[in-house]
Amino acid sequence: PDGSRVVVANEGEPKDYCEPGLANDPEGSVTILDIPADRSQLPTAAVRTANFHGVFPELPREVRFFGPNASPAQDLEPEYIAVADDSKTAYVTLQEANAIAVVDLATGEVTALHALGTKDHSLRINQFDASDRDDAVRLATWPVEGMYQPDTIAFYLFDGSRYLVTANEGDTRDYEC
């Protein structure tokens, strides 16, 4: 918000686990580029990379960890970023992991990882149409839990309180080998 940094989500999505020789699962990270007041100094601007190496010896139980033989650094794939109003903290969606990472922009370190839990679709307020095989809309409750899996994220202030809002798109890691 203060224009002092550019923050980039480096998703690190895997290429293909199923094709021999093509298995490639790069690590996800967040790049932070400090923008100098004197724009002519941009080529020498400070750049930091926040990654997931050893940050959490044990991931929270509710974080979805899925990639075959993947490390947390490979499996946590930053999707979108929202920056707090004070320009000190970034909130990063980790869609497939059903989580949000918190990044300290001054130090370039991941400081927290929050699992988002699930939604109870047996409740009337959480009805959904479970079929994609007809042209009808049939909202109903179902005895299942669904993950949020946030895609985009926004930060905003309202009445002195801070909020994060996510578009919970959901995503699959469908490796058919």
Side-chain angles (χ1 to χ4, degrees), residues 4-8 10 29-36 41-51 103-109:
S4 66
R5 294 184 177 99
V6 172
V7 186
V8 180
N10 308 309
S29 63
V30 175
T31 299
I32 305 156
L33 170 70
D34 292 332
I35 303 296
Q41 299 300 312
L42 194 55
T44 61
V47 177
R48 292 175 303 293
T49 300
N51 61 46
V103 177
D104 180 315
L105 294 176
T107 65
E109 294 180 8

Side-chain angles (χ1 to χ4, degrees), residues 64 94-100 115-121 123 126 145-152 166-171:
R64 182 176 183 236
L94 305 170
Q95 183 175 20
E96 293 85 355
N98 194 39
I100 294 178
L116 297 181
T118 58
K119 180 187 286 191
D120 182 353
H121 289 289
L123 302 174
N126 296 331
E145 299 280 320
M147 291 184 283
Y148 292 97
Q149 295 188 306
D151 193 45
T152 58
T166 60
N168 302 314
E169 175 188 44
D171 202 358

Side-chain angles (χ1 to χ4, degrees), residues 39-109:
R39 299 298 195 256
S40 69
Q41 299 300 312
L42 194 55
T44 61
V47 177
R48 292 175 303 293
T49 300
N51 61 46
F52 299 96
H53 284 275
V55 176
F56 304 97
E58 272 188 47
L59 291 171
R61 185 180 59 78
E62 300 85 6
V63 172
R64 182 176 183 236
F65 190 71
F66 187 80
N69 303 313
S71 69
Q74 291 169 305
D75 214 42
L76 299 173
E77 300 170 0
E79 192 86 24
Y80 282 89
I81 300 171
V83 177
D85 60 319
D86 62 6
S87 297
K88 294 179 181 180
T89 306
Y91 300 94
V92 182
T93 56
L94 305 170
Q95 183 175 20
E96 293 85 355
N98 194 39
I100 294 178
V102 180
V103 177
D104 180 315
L105 294 176
T107 65
E109 294 180 8

Side-chain angles (χ1 to χ4, degrees), residues 9-38:
N10 308 309
E11 188 172 8
E13 194 168 79
K15 179 167 175 59
D16 190 343
Y17 283 114
C18 302
E19 290 292 323
L22 290 180
N24 181 11
D25 191 358
E27 295 178 355
S29 63
V30 175
T31 299
I32 305 156
L33 170 70
D34 292 332
I35 303 296
D38 177 357

